[in-house]
Amino acid sequence: MKRFAQLFQSLDQTTKTNQKVAALQQYFSEAPDDDKLWTIALLSHRRPRRSVTISLVREWAAEMAGLPVWLFDESYHIVGDLAETIALVLPKPVKTSERSLTDWIEHVIALKDLEDEQKREGMLEAWRSLNHRERFVFNKLMTGGFRIGVSQKLMTRALGRATGIDENILAHRLMGDWSPQTTTFEELVLQERAADDLSKPYPFYLAYALDVSYEQLGPPADWQAERKWDGIRGQLIKRDGHLFLWSRGEELVTDRFPEFEVLTAFMSDGIVLDGEILPFKDGVPLTFQKLQTRIGRKKVTKRILQEAPLILMAYDLLEHEGEDLRDHPIRHRRRILEEVVQSVNQEVLRLSEIIPFDNWPVLEQERDRSRELFSEGIMLKRLDSTYQSGRKKGDWWKWKIDPLTIDAVMIYAQQGHGRRANLFTDYTFAVWDGDSLVPFAKAYSGLTDAEFREITTFVRRNTLERFGPVRSVQPNLVFEIAFEGIQASKRHKSGVALRFPRMHRWRKDKHPKEANTLHDLMEMLKMYG
Amino acid sequence: MALIEFQKGGLYVPEADVYIDPWRRVKKALITHGHSDHARWGHHRYVCADSSKAILQHRLGDINIRGVPFGESFLVNGVQFTFYPAGHIVGSAQIKVEYQDEIWVVSGDYKTEDDGISGAFEPVPCDVFITESTFGLPIYTWLDQSIIFDEINQWWATNRDAGVTSILTGYTLGKAQRLLSGLDTSIGPIYTHGAIENMTKVIRSSGVPLPDTIRITPETPKKDLVGAMVVAPPSATGSPWMKRFKTVSIATASGWMQLRGARRRRSVDRGFVLSDHADWHGLNQTIEATGASKIYATHGYTDVFRRWLESKGLEAGVVKTRFEGELAEINEGSEPEEEEQP
């Protein structure tokens, strides 16, 4: 545990990528194999299942610290991280421990089937034997995500340097459905892969938002344009009689979306498709809201299948007849893709249509139609582009439509978490309904750190009431809120739900009375809902 | 009539017609210490602890000021006042106010650990204690300063070996001198930002032993700064002043660095947890030692702290003041620290 806690601290103490990679590389060169494997798992969101509920962890920590639960909770609101709060309030450890990371994780996993009293003893035992840093890491294992500013890509790079294995090959090996309890470091990372690894997806190639004018892209004839759909990125694999569907978070979602099962019979082996998983009915896409009713739901009823049926809008072909096509230009991949989709001939598999255009202004007009077609904008792909891995600039662009915007008044503020702990960064916004303000959206992104600091000072000085971590403030600040879509909603007081609201600009020039009204919002609902 | 009233202009002692650390201009002000949220400009007369006098004169210029030794009482209209060391920064004082068998103490800012240069804090028995509560939450507990200074010196030595300049930031008054007093001069030379050099000179000449420092000027050869330690005010980071350094590692020393989020948000390379304010235990032990039956919290996590005190059976209240604790040290206070004499 000491070595892992040291690694965690090194990663946490620097903002520089190369220092992070160096720290990880050193760790991967020195740590024992089982610890390395767990480290890879933790950094790729494969945390062991929670074995003790958060509320019990909280209760026992407060008890050991000799604090009333309300004071512990207040502290938690300030820190914004439960694992850290616990590490900070506990009394000094009474002993030290030489147990390894793997040892402690197994300790945690073993708590799962015990009675509460034994769980409690297991937790206290850990807290008594670990120092501040180790406790923090241990608590992270217990309470949730391991976000420490290390992407999977960065971790893979470091592992590549430590093992001498090509980074892309590693990225491939680390994908998929594995856990340290079902594999070994040797097997997962070091062993060359036999062809029987059927489910392995390819790393997704991600587009950047278009940040240059289209004139700079060169002749239109070099480009392929398609609609950009608002679904989940997915990779559909058919190999050796088996079908697999992966989402971009590298999760295997085959079982969750049973409508694709039918393809097993109609697709030939050795095919990998890249596309968008979309709710789709009567020839048009449904809103992302409909898709949300499907995400995370493991059991699918008939009714849900009728209300939010899914399709794959295919736009790329990565493997055909078992051959990796990623090095071929998209103009070539596209040709075969069209053949594949046509020969499968099933409703759940559609081809993303190409928008013909011979000059940019024409495409811009097409882009302006996006909203009526339920699309987010245009995807641009250079016809010569290969299928790369990760987010790369230059060949693929997303050219989204401008968001909808509305001016709103901030009425509640709450402190952020993690990097933003101790700053008020999460706000609730309202529009006018006569003389009263009706809340309609929450947002927490889009401002600079300096602006957040300024607003934090405002909140401290203009608090009206406190409700736990939330403060109501003088309705003095106006923000332009940008969002991607608007839907009627019974669950919200305002009657609408926004898609991806964020702060576009702080309108210091506007008086609160100049903010928009509920009526304006309803007009938008009529036009775009 | 209460012995101390909480007025718009500050803490007011009506029987004596004096204010303590007022934020509006008044006739007579008793000052706990030299930080700008406590010692403001424009009062007619200032009274402070002896060891604070030179600091106030340096900061506020030509003012009408009297210094009183610690522990020596003086009367104003029959009200007796005494300064006691607060351990916060050099010259910082708590102020005891006595009148007709009633004793109130205003803590100003304080810390209970003896840092070797600011005078050793002592709790003063009283009936009513007006305390700061900057770090009045159980998440704020400090390690001994010797441990933190070991971390700082180790960081410096590592940077020196890598040819990196170490830039350590803290308040011009107080934190900067405390940092200087803990640096290991065998590692290398210590340079200072002009504002800190001026203040340090004032404090050094009042008899506080501090290591030698070199003022950074436009003429300072860049190569001399490689591997050196530079002590600078927080506002210097990100300013054009920083351009003179080649490769740097920047650290902040503050109680706020206790939280990972605060450390990361400052995007400094290192955050050392070193505060000139009492930690959770320090606040609680002090309150207990004063024996006070009524406690007022002036700044910091006042509401939570009051509830905590009440849960322990004490009578507690909150006073709204314009004192800020260490907020300006991480550039999150509402007013920037004054770097130069007005």
Side-chain angles (χ1 to χ4, degrees), chain A residues 27 64 81 107 146 164 185 252 281 348 374 460 462 466 481 489 491 493:
Chain A
Y27 178 87
M64 187 170 168
D81 182 309
H107 175 89
F146 238 97
F185 184 76
L252 200 51
K281 208 175 177 180
V348 290
F374 306 99
R460 290 205 179 107
N462 292 279
R466 293 169 191 231
I481 305 299
S489 162
R491 287 192 309 155
K493 205 172 171 183

Side-chain angles (χ1 to χ4, degrees), chain A residues 392-507:
Chain A
K392 300 272 163 55
K393 226 168 180 165
D395 284 348
W396 282 25
W397 299 102
K398 43 186 179 187
W399 189 21
K400 295 223 273 189
I401 39 174
D402 297 327
L404 299 165
T405 63
I406 192 160
D407 289 337
V409 185
M410 175 179 129
I411 56 168
Y412 300 114
Q414 185 174 358
Q415 303 209 9
H417 286 249
R419 201 178 86 81
R420 291 143 52 117
N422 229 345
L423 271 188
F424 285 91
T425 56
D426 301 7
Y427 312 133
T428 302
F429 295 96
V431 284
W432 293 104
D433 182 19
D435 282 339
S436 60
L437 283 161
V438 183
F440 71 99
K442 281 184 179 182
Y444 44 84
S445 62
L447 299 181
T448 63
D449 278 4
E451 284 171 319
F452 279 130
R453 278 204 292 274
E454 200 178 334
I455 295 167
T456 297
T457 306
F458 168 86
V459 171
R460 290 205 179 107
R461 296 200 159 179
N462 292 279
T463 298
L464 299 173
E465 274 184 280
R466 293 169 191 231
F467 316 93
V470 179
R471 296 182 179 204
S472 66
V473 296
Q474 295 278 4
N476 288 350
L477 306 187
V478 180
F479 294 83
E480 185 177 320
I481 305 299
F483 53 97
E484 297 304 322
I486 181 166
Q487 286 291 312
S489 162
K490 285 193 188 105
R491 287 192 309 155
H492 296 80
K493 205 172 171 183
S494 60
V496 298
L498 304 188
R499 167 126 169 84
F500 191 34
R502 69 268 184 194
M503 290 166 274
H504 200 49
R505 265 189 301 170
W506 182 1
R507 297 298 303 260

Side-chain angles (χ1 to χ4, degrees), chain B residues 41-59:
Chain B
W41 217 61
H43 308 310
H44 284 286
R45 295 173 62 200
Y46 292 79
V47 185
C48 64
D50 244 350
S51 44
S52 202
K53 192 173 155 185
I55 294 168
L56 261 65
Q57 283 172 320
H58 171 71
R59 277 208 44 242

